[in-house]
Amino acid sequence: MPSFVFGAITVDWDLAARSFWPILQGGLIYTLPLTLISFVFGFILALMMALFRLSKWAVLQWIARIYISIIRGTPLIVQLAIVFYGLPDLGIQLSPIPSAIIALSLNVGGYAAEVIRASILSVPRGQWEAGYTIGMSEAQVLRRVILPQAARVSVPPLSNTFISLVKDTSLASTVTVTELFRRAQEITATNYDFLLLYSEAALIYWIFCFFLSLGQSWMESRLDRYAAPRA
Amino acid sequence: MLLSIKNVHKTFSGHEILKGIDFSLDEGKVLVLIGPSGSGKTTTLRTLNLLEIPEAGTLQIADQEVVFGQALSKKRIQAMRRQSAMVFQEYNLFPHRTALENVTEGLIIVQKMAPKEAQERAAELLNKVGLTQHLNKYPHQLSGGQQQRVGIARAVALQPKLLLFDEPTSALDPELVGDVLKVMKDLAREGWTMVVVTHELKFAADVADEVLFLDDGRILERGAPDVLLQQPQHERTKQFLSRILNER
Ligand SMILES: Nc1ncnc2c1ncn2[C@@H]1O[C@H](COP(=O)(O)OP(=O)(O)OP(=O)(O)O)[C@@H](O)[C@H]1O
Ligand SMILES: [Mg+2]
């Protein structure tokens, strides 16, 4: 077995090569889909909560406030544990992946709601009035005038949320989802080569995030074609 | 009478800003509102489009009437609002839509016109305000004067009973003011009923049928432009007019 001594550290290239694919596979079949699905659900939830927060009805405002406060005030790992290990006590038994999707979506919903709310508020009041003066209803102004402009403002912060989510899916390992990090962990159980295997995991996360941030830049420049650069 | 507004009172955070506004306007006439900063011109104009809802008074435009101080359903507000359309000081064009789309938006979304027909109507109007070359440009690619002419086309396209202008030229560089005023003069000549807040006294003298001088939430003086602008009765009006003339 070819080994390379680096000070006290020995790099086992053969193990690195053998373990790379299983770890990457954990990323491709669990980490990325989990990220994508949770983000979509979380985004829809966040949009709803942002609109609740902005609504005239106090009940809706409070529902959103309490939800956002709970999500932001508790660790994701605890939220995951409640869904996967806690809910069975109420007779709700969920498999690891649905549990992870539910907890991650709820989490994204709480954080993205504030981002979306802020971006809606960042659209000048004159835009609402321009919509009203041409006879639009509130819902029409929101859909046709405000949200498209809010979307541009919210791309950078929502991209951050998305990229954080890629990394946060590693916590799904605590509810037995064999995603990227747990794959690496499982291999260490037979090899004890922690530094190598976890570095490999880190490298793959970094590659994922790198490509996603390229996607973010592309999206921003696409949206910029429609509007002057913001001051 | 196309427009009539009676005894309108509006309070903002404890301060009474409109202290009983009354006026009316016949179809095809142009009314100009002048007055010092903070006198309530914008608030009065916005009331006509229900962008502000006063506490008391009545507003009638064409066959629609609302009584303020009573609960108003969204439907009633929308129906009244569609009687008029506002041209804003800061244009307020939709930045994510082209000049053409800014004008078709209300036609397609509100008036449910077929897109093709809406585009034809919009192109025709933009042509009329001198923007034939700029149909597919986004607002940020246009000068202030061009943007404001899109704003006017957007309001006119809907064929409201009443056009409202809130200092439409005061955000413009001086050399761009003329084009916008010319478009407004053309509209007046075509018979549009208009209420215009402006400090362009020459425009008022040429186009207005009546001029109102607002001061501290009241109409202090009103009259035909040659009378009110040439021989104002009140000291406040005289001061205001001479201040404007000296600024030029
Ligand atoms: N939304 C608001 N909240 C609180 N005060 C307001 C609001 N809108 C207007 N005001 C106040 O009402 C008064 C009249 O405002 P308005 O904009 O109608 O004046 P104006 O005659 O149009 O003045 P200007 O020539 O400066 O445009 C001002 O003192 C202004 O501060
Ligand atoms: Mg004003």
CSV table of all heavy atoms in Angstrom, one decimal, chain B residues 48-91:
chain,number,residue,atom,x,y,z
B,48,LEU,N,-58.1,62.3,-4.7
B,48,LEU,CA,-59.0,62.1,-5.9
B,48,LEU,C,-58.8,60.7,-6.5
B,48,LEU,O,-59.7,60.1,-7.1
B,48,LEU,CB,-58.7,63.1,-7.0
B,48,LEU,CG,-58.9,64.6,-6.6
B,48,LEU,CD1,-58.5,65.5,-7.7
B,48,LEU,CD2,-60.3,64.8,-6.2
B,49,ASN,N,-57.6,60.1,-6.3
B,49,ASN,CA,-57.3,58.8,-6.7
B,49,ASN,C,-57.4,57.7,-5.6
B,49,ASN,O,-57.0,56.6,-5.8
B,49,ASN,CB,-55.9,58.7,-7.4
B,49,ASN,CG,-55.7,57.6,-8.3
B,49,ASN,OD1,-54.6,57.0,-8.3
B,49,ASN,ND2,-56.7,57.2,-9.1
B,50,LEU,N,-57.9,58.2,-4.5
B,50,LEU,CA,-58.0,57.3,-3.3
B,50,LEU,C,-56.7,56.7,-2.8
B,50,LEU,O,-56.7,55.6,-2.3
B,50,LEU,CB,-59.1,56.3,-3.4
B,50,LEU,CG,-60.6,56.8,-3.6
B,50,LEU,CD1,-61.6,55.7,-3.5
B,50,LEU,CD2,-60.9,57.9,-2.7
B,51,LEU,N,-55.6,57.4,-3.2
B,51,LEU,CA,-54.3,56.9,-2.6
B,51,LEU,C,-54.2,57.4,-1.2
B,51,LEU,O,-53.4,56.9,-0.4
B,51,LEU,CB,-53.2,57.4,-3.4
B,51,LEU,CG,-53.1,56.8,-4.8
B,51,LEU,CD1,-52.0,57.5,-5.7
B,51,LEU,CD2,-52.9,55.3,-4.8
B,52,GLU,N,-55.0,58.4,-0.8
B,52,GLU,CA,-55.3,58.7,0.6
B,52,GLU,C,-56.8,58.7,0.8
B,52,GLU,O,-57.5,59.0,-0.1
B,52,GLU,CB,-54.8,60.2,0.9
B,52,GLU,CG,-53.4,60.5,0.7
B,52,GLU,CD,-52.4,59.8,1.6
B,52,GLU,OE1,-52.9,59.1,2.5
B,52,GLU,OE2,-51.2,59.9,1.3
B,53,ILE,N,-57.2,58.2,2.0
B,53,ILE,CA,-58.6,58.2,2.3
B,53,ILE,C,-58.8,59.2,3.5
B,53,ILE,O,-58.3,59.0,4.6
B,53,ILE,CB,-59.0,56.8,2.8
B,53,ILE,CG1,-58.6,55.7,1.8
B,53,ILE,CG2,-60.5,56.7,3.0
B,53,ILE,CD1,-59.4,55.6,0.6
B,54,PRO,N,-59.5,60.3,3.2
B,54,PRO,CA,-59.7,61.3,4.2
B,54,PRO,C,-60.7,60.8,5.3
B,54,PRO,O,-61.4,59.7,5.1
B,54,PRO,CB,-60.3,62.5,3.5
B,54,PRO,CG,-60.2,62.1,2.0
B,54,PRO,CD,-60.1,60.6,1.9
B,55,GLU,N,-60.9,61.5,6.4
B,55,GLU,CA,-61.8,61.1,7.4
B,55,GLU,C,-63.2,61.6,7.1
B,55,GLU,O,-64.2,61.0,7.6
B,55,GLU,CB,-61.4,61.7,8.8
B,55,GLU,CG,-60.1,61.2,9.3
B,55,GLU,CD,-58.9,62.0,8.8
B,55,GLU,OE1,-59.0,63.2,8.8
B,55,GLU,OE2,-57.9,61.4,8.4
B,56,ALA,N,-63.3,62.7,6.4
B,56,ALA,CA,-64.7,63.3,6.2
B,56,ALA,C,-64.7,63.9,4.8
B,56,ALA,O,-63.7,64.3,4.2
B,56,ALA,CB,-65.0,64.3,7.2
B,57,GLY,N,-65.9,64.0,4.3
B,57,GLY,CA,-66.1,64.7,3.0
B,57,GLY,C,-66.7,63.7,2.0
B,57,GLY,O,-66.9,62.5,2.3
B,58,THR,N,-66.9,64.2,0.8
B,58,THR,CA,-67.4,63.3,-0.3
B,58,THR,C,-66.6,63.5,-1.6
B,58,THR,O,-66.1,64.6,-1.8
B,58,THR,CB,-68.9,63.5,-0.6
B,58,THR,OG1,-69.0,64.9,-1.1
B,58,THR,CG2,-69.8,63.3,0.6
B,59,LEU,N,-66.6,62.5,-2.4
B,59,LEU,CA,-65.9,62.6,-3.7
B,59,LEU,C,-66.8,62.0,-4.7
B,59,LEU,O,-67.3,60.9,-4.5
B,59,LEU,CB,-64.6,61.8,-3.6
B,59,LEU,CG,-63.8,61.6,-5.0
B,59,LEU,CD1,-63.4,63.0,-5.6
B,59,LEU,CD2,-62.6,60.7,-4.8
B,60,GLN,N,-67.0,62.7,-5.8
B,60,GLN,CA,-67.8,62.2,-6.9
B,60,GLN,C,-67.0,62.4,-8.2
B,60,GLN,O,-66.5,63.4,-8.5
B,60,GLN,CB,-69.2,62.9,-6.9
B,60,GLN,CG,-70.0,62.6,-8.2
B,60,GLN,CD,-70.0,63.8,-9.1
B,60,GLN,OE1,-70.1,65.0,-8.7
B,60,GLN,NE2,-69.8,63.5,-10.4
B,61,ILE,N,-66.9,61.3,-8.9
B,61,ILE,CA,-66.3,61.4,-10.3
B,61,ILE,C,-67.2,60.6,-11.2
B,61,ILE,O,-67.5,59.4,-11.0
B,61,ILE,CB,-64.8,60.8,-10.3
B,61,ILE,CG1,-63.9,61.5,-9.3
B,61,ILE,CG2,-64.3,61.0,-11.7
B,61,ILE,CD1,-62.5,60.9,-9.3
B,62,ALA,N,-67.6,61.3,-12.2
B,62,ALA,CA,-68.6,60.7,-13.2
B,62,ALA,C,-69.8,60.1,-12.4
B,62,ALA,O,-70.3,60.8,-11.5
B,62,ALA,CB,-67.9,59.7,-14.1
B,63,ASP,N,-70.1,58.8,-12.6
B,63,ASP,CA,-71.2,58.2,-11.9
B,63,ASP,C,-70.9,57.6,-10.6
B,63,ASP,O,-71.7,56.9,-10.0
B,63,ASP,CB,-72.0,57.3,-12.8
B,63,ASP,CG,-71.0,56.2,-13.3
B,63,ASP,OD1,-69.8,56.2,-13.0
B,63,ASP,OD2,-71.5,55.3,-14.0
B,64,GLN,N,-69.6,57.7,-10.1
B,64,GLN,CA,-69.2,57.1,-8.8
B,64,GLN,C,-69.2,58.1,-7.7
B,64,GLN,O,-68.7,59.3,-7.9
B,64,GLN,CB,-67.8,56.5,-9.0
B,64,GLN,CG,-67.7,55.4,-10.0
B,64,GLN,CD,-68.2,54.1,-9.4
B,64,GLN,OE1,-68.0,53.8,-8.2
B,64,GLN,NE2,-68.8,53.2,-10.2
B,65,GLU,N,-69.7,57.7,-6.6
B,65,GLU,CA,-69.5,58.6,-5.4
B,65,GLU,C,-69.1,57.8,-4.2
B,65,GLU,O,-69.6,56.7,-4.0
B,65,GLU,CB,-70.9,59.3,-5.1
B,65,GLU,CG,-70.7,60.4,-4.0
B,65,GLU,CD,-72.0,61.2,-3.8
B,65,GLU,OE1,-73.1,60.6,-3.9
B,65,GLU,OE2,-71.9,62.4,-3.5
B,66,VAL,N,-68.2,58.4,-3.4
B,66,VAL,CA,-67.9,57.8,-2.1
B,66,VAL,C,-68.0,58.9,-1.0
B,66,VAL,O,-67.8,60.1,-1.2
B,66,VAL,CB,-66.5,57.2,-2.0
B,66,VAL,CG1,-66.3,56.0,-2.9
B,66,VAL,CG2,-65.4,58.2,-2.2
B,67,VAL,N,-68.5,58.4,0.2
B,67,VAL,CA,-68.6,59.3,1.3
B,67,VAL,C,-67.5,58.8,2.3
B,67,VAL,O,-67.5,57.7,2.7
B,67,VAL,CB,-70.0,59.1,2.0
B,67,VAL,CG1,-70.1,60.0,3.2
B,67,VAL,CG2,-71.1,59.5,1.0
B,68,PHE,N,-66.6,59.7,2.6
B,68,PHE,CA,-65.6,59.4,3.6
B,68,PHE,C,-66.1,59.3,5.0
B,68,PHE,O,-67.0,60.0,5.3
B,68,PHE,CB,-64.4,60.4,3.4
B,68,PHE,CG,-63.8,60.4,2.0
B,68,PHE,CD1,-63.8,61.6,1.3
B,68,PHE,CD2,-63.3,59.2,1.4
B,68,PHE,CE1,-63.3,61.6,0.0
B,68,PHE,CE2,-62.8,59.3,0.2
B,68,PHE,CZ,-62.8,60.4,-0.6
B,69,GLY,N,-65.4,58.5,5.8
B,69,GLY,CA,-65.8,58.4,7.2
B,69,GLY,C,-66.6,57.2,7.4
B,69,GLY,O,-66.8,56.7,8.5
B,70,GLN,N,-67.1,56.6,6.3
B,70,GLN,CA,-67.8,55.3,6.4
B,70,GLN,C,-66.8,54.2,5.9
B,70,GLN,O,-65.9,54.5,5.2
B,70,GLN,CB,-69.0,55.3,5.4
B,70,GLN,CG,-69.9,56.4,5.7
B,70,GLN,CD,-71.1,56.4,4.7
B,70,GLN,OE1,-71.1,55.7,3.7
B,70,GLN,NE2,-72.1,57.2,5.0
B,71,ALA,N,-67.1,53.0,6.3
B,71,ALA,CA,-66.3,51.9,5.8
B,71,ALA,C,-66.4,51.8,4.3
B,71,ALA,O,-67.5,51.8,3.7
B,71,ALA,CB,-66.7,50.6,6.4
B,72,LEU,N,-65.2,51.6,3.6
B,72,LEU,CA,-65.2,51.5,2.2
B,72,LEU,C,-64.7,50.1,1.8
B,72,LEU,O,-63.6,49.8,2.2
B,72,LEU,CB,-64.3,52.6,1.6
B,72,LEU,CG,-64.8,54.0,1.4
B,72,LEU,CD1,-63.7,54.9,0.9
B,72,LEU,CD2,-65.9,54.0,0.3
B,73,SER,N,-65.4,49.4,1.0
B,73,SER,CA,-64.9,48.1,0.6
B,73,SER,C,-63.8,48.2,-0.4
B,73,SER,O,-63.8,49.3,-1.1
B,73,SER,CB,-66.0,47.2,0.1
B,73,SER,OG,-66.4,47.7,-1.2
B,74,LYS,N,-63.0,47.2,-0.6
B,74,LYS,CA,-61.9,47.3,-1.6
B,74,LYS,C,-62.5,47.4,-3.0
B,74,LYS,O,-61.9,48.1,-3.8
B,74,LYS,CB,-61.1,46.0,-1.5
B,74,LYS,CG,-60.1,46.0,-0.4
B,74,LYS,CD,-59.2,44.8,-0.4
B,74,LYS,CE,-58.2,44.9,0.8
B,74,LYS,NZ,-57.4,43.7,0.9
B,75,LYS,N,-63.6,46.8,-3.2
B,75,LYS,CA,-64.3,46.9,-4.5
B,75,LYS,C,-64.7,48.3,-4.8
B,75,LYS,O,-64.5,48.8,-5.9
B,75,LYS,CB,-65.6,46.0,-4.4
B,75,LYS,CG,-65.4,44.7,-5.1
B,75,LYS,CD,-66.8,44.2,-5.6
B,75,LYS,CE,-66.7,43.3,-6.8
B,75,LYS,NZ,-65.9,42.2,-6.6
B,76,ARG,N,-65.3,49.0,-3.8
B,76,ARG,CA,-65.7,50.4,-4.0
B,76,ARG,C,-64.5,51.3,-4.3
B,76,ARG,O,-64.5,52.1,-5.2
B,76,ARG,CB,-66.4,50.9,-2.8
B,76,ARG,CG,-67.7,50.2,-2.4
B,76,ARG,CD,-68.9,50.9,-3.1
B,76,ARG,NE,-69.1,52.3,-2.8
B,76,ARG,CZ,-69.3,53.2,-3.8
B,76,ARG,NH1,-69.3,52.9,-5.0
B,76,ARG,NH2,-69.5,54.5,-3.4
B,77,ILE,N,-63.4,51.0,-3.5
B,77,ILE,CA,-62.2,51.8,-3.7
B,77,ILE,C,-61.7,51.6,-5.1
B,77,ILE,O,-61.4,52.6,-5.8
B,77,ILE,CB,-61.2,51.5,-2.7
B,77,ILE,CG1,-61.6,51.9,-1.3
B,77,ILE,CG2,-59.8,52.1,-3.0
B,77,ILE,CD1,-60.7,51.6,-0.2
B,78,GLN,N,-61.6,50.4,-5.5
B,78,GLN,CA,-61.1,50.1,-6.8
B,78,GLN,C,-61.9,50.7,-8.0
B,78,GLN,O,-61.4,51.2,-8.9
B,78,GLN,CB,-61.0,48.6,-7.0
B,78,GLN,CG,-59.7,48.1,-7.6
B,78,GLN,CD,-59.6,46.6,-7.8
B,78,GLN,OE1,-60.1,45.9,-7.0
B,78,GLN,NE2,-59.0,46.2,-8.9
B,79,ALA,N,-63.2,50.6,-7.8
B,79,ALA,CA,-64.1,51.1,-8.8
B,79,ALA,C,-64.0,52.7,-8.9
B,79,ALA,O,-63.9,53.2,-10.0
B,79,ALA,CB,-65.6,50.8,-8.5
B,80,MET,N,-63.8,53.3,-7.8
B,80,MET,CA,-63.6,54.8,-7.8
B,80,MET,C,-62.3,55.1,-8.4
B,80,MET,O,-62.1,56.0,-9.2
B,80,MET,CB,-63.7,55.3,-6.4
B,80,MET,CG,-63.6,56.8,-6.3
B,80,MET,SD,-64.8,57.6,-7.4
B,80,MET,CE,-65.5,58.9,-6.4
B,81,ARG,N,-61.3,54.3,-8.0
B,81,ARG,CA,-59.9,54.6,-8.4
B,81,ARG,C,-59.8,54.5,-10.0
B,81,ARG,O,-59.0,55.2,-10.6
B,81,ARG,CB,-59.0,53.5,-7.8
B,81,ARG,CG,-57.7,54.1,-7.4
B,81,ARG,CD,-56.9,53.0,-6.6
B,81,ARG,NE,-56.6,53.4,-5.3
B,81,ARG,CZ,-56.4,52.6,-4.3
B,81,ARG,NH1,-56.4,51.3,-4.5
B,81,ARG,NH2,-56.1,53.0,-3.1
B,82,ARG,N,-60.6,53.6,-10.6
B,82,ARG,CA,-60.5,53.5,-12.0
B,82,ARG,C,-61.0,54.6,-12.8
B,82,ARG,O,-60.9,54.7,-14.0
B,82,ARG,CB,-61.1,52.2,-12.4
B,82,ARG,CG,-60.3,51.0,-12.0
B,82,ARG,CD,-61.0,49.7,-12.3
B,82,ARG,NE,-60.2,48.6,-11.8
B,82,ARG,CZ,-60.5,47.3,-11.8
B,82,ARG,NH1,-61.7,46.9,-12.3
B,82,ARG,NH2,-59.7,46.4,-11.3
B,83,GLN,N,-61.7,55.6,-12.1
B,83,GLN,CA,-62.2,56.8,-12.8
B,83,GLN,C,-61.0,57.7,-13.1
B,83,GLN,O,-61.2,58.6,-14.0
B,83,GLN,CB,-63.2,57.5,-11.9
B,83,GLN,CG,-64.3,56.7,-11.4
B,83,GLN,CD,-65.2,56.3,-12.5
B,83,GLN,OE1,-65.6,57.0,-13.4
B,83,GLN,NE2,-65.5,55.0,-12.6
B,84,SER,N,-59.9,57.6,-12.4
B,84,SER,CA,-58.8,58.6,-12.7
B,84,SER,C,-57.5,57.8,-12.7
B,84,SER,O,-57.4,56.6,-12.3
B,84,SER,CB,-58.8,59.6,-11.5
B,84,SER,OG,-58.6,59.0,-10.3
B,85,ALA,N,-56.5,58.5,-13.2
B,85,ALA,CA,-55.1,57.9,-13.2
B,85,ALA,C,-54.1,59.0,-12.9
B,85,ALA,O,-54.3,60.1,-13.4
B,85,ALA,CB,-54.8,57.2,-14.5
B,86,MET,N,-53.1,58.6,-12.2
B,86,MET,CA,-52.2,59.6,-11.6
B,86,MET,C,-50.8,59.5,-12.4
B,86,MET,O,-50.3,58.5,-12.7
B,86,MET,CB,-51.9,59.3,-10.2
B,86,MET,CG,-50.9,60.1,-9.5
B,86,MET,SD,-51.6,61.6,-8.8
B,86,MET,CE,-52.0,61.0,-7.1
B,87,VAL,N,-50.3,60.7,-12.7
B,87,VAL,CA,-48.9,60.8,-13.2
B,87,VAL,C,-48.1,61.4,-12.0
B,87,VAL,O,-48.4,62.4,-11.5
B,87,VAL,CB,-48.8,61.7,-14.4
B,87,VAL,CG1,-47.4,61.9,-14.8
B,87,VAL,CG2,-49.7,61.2,-15.5
B,88,PHE,N,-47.1,60.6,-11.6
B,88,PHE,CA,-46.3,60.9,-10.4
B,88,PHE,C,-45.1,61.8,-10.7
B,88,PHE,O,-44.5,61.8,-11.7
B,88,PHE,CB,-45.8,59.6,-9.7
B,88,PHE,CG,-46.9,58.7,-9.3
B,88,PHE,CD1,-47.4,57.7,-10.2
B,88,PHE,CD2,-47.6,58.8,-8.1
B,88,PHE,CE1,-48.4,56.8,-9.8
B,88,PHE,CE2,-48.6,57.9,-7.7
B,88,PHE,CZ,-49.0,56.9,-8.6
B,89,GLN,N,-44.8,62.6,-9.6
B,89,GLN,CA,-43.6,63.4,-9.7
B,89,GLN,C,-42.4,62.6,-10.0
B,89,GLN,O,-41.5,63.0,-10.8
B,89,GLN,CB,-43.5,64.2,-8.3
B,89,GLN,CG,-42.4,65.2,-8.2
B,89,GLN,CD,-42.4,66.0,-6.9
B,89,GLN,OE1,-43.3,65.7,-6.1
B,89,GLN,NE2,-41.6,66.9,-6.8
B,90,GLU,N,-42.3,61.5,-9.3
B,90,GLU,CA,-41.1,60.6,-9.5
B,90,GLU,C,-41.3,59.5,-10.5
B,90,GLU,O,-40.7,58.5,-10.5
B,90,GLU,CB,-40.6,60.0,-8.2
B,90,GLU,CG,-40.4,61.0,-7.1
B,90,GLU,CD,-39.2,61.9,-7.3
B,90,GLU,OE1,-38.3,61.5,-8.1
B,90,GLU,OE2,-39.0,62.9,-6.6
B,91,TYR,N,-42.2,59.7,-11.4
B,91,TYR,CA,-42.6,58.8,-12.5
B,91,TYR,C,-43.2,57.5,-12.1
B,91,TYR,O,-44.2,57.0,-12.6
B,91,TYR,CB,-41.4,58.5,-13.5
B,91,TYR,CG,-40.4,59.6,-13.6
B,91,TYR,CD1,-39.0,59.3,-13.4
B,91,TYR,CD2,-40.7,60.9,-13.8
B,91,TYR,CE1,-38.0,60.3,-13.5
B,91,TYR,CE2,-39.8,61.9,-13.9
B,91,TYR,CZ,-38.4,61.6,-13.7
B,91,TYR,OH,-37.5,62.5,-13.8
